[in-house]
Amino acid sequence: MASIAPSRSSVVGSWNAREASGSCRVQLSSAPALDLYRASASGCANRDLARVSAWDFRDGEVYLYQPGGAVAARLRPAAGSLDGVLAKSGAPLSLSR
């Protein structure tokens, strides 16, 4: 079975985020926000994740940004999910559908 190469459009939508302090929802929008795309988070206990306002897909990775352009998290597409770390703490973060 051929695996589909991840792309910006393949990660747009609603995700279930799971990290050390619990789980919450992250929405990745296709609406442009300056040179990035709009994102939002709801119900996140982690302050860095709760402040996510934009995202981008670059070099095969998804970057989540806070207002002002600070990177909140970096994730790599895995089988049906996005796996990575929170930028500040290095704590694991996983997004699944």
Side-chain angles (χ1 to χ4, degrees), residues 3-11 57 60-62 76-78 82:
S3 67
I4 297 165
S7 64
R8 181 176 282 118
S9 60
S10 72
V11 298
F57 186 84
E61 291 188 320
V62 173
R76 280 196 164 282
L82 299 171

Side-chain angles (χ1 to χ4, degrees), residues 5-8 11 55-63 65 74-77 82-83:
S7 64
R8 181 176 282 118
V11 298
W55 73 281
D56 197 12
F57 186 84
R58 216 169 53 237
D59 303 324
E61 291 188 320
V62 173
Y63 290 79
Y65 295 94
R74 252 173 90 172
L75 301 133
R76 280 196 164 282
L82 299 171
D83 294 317

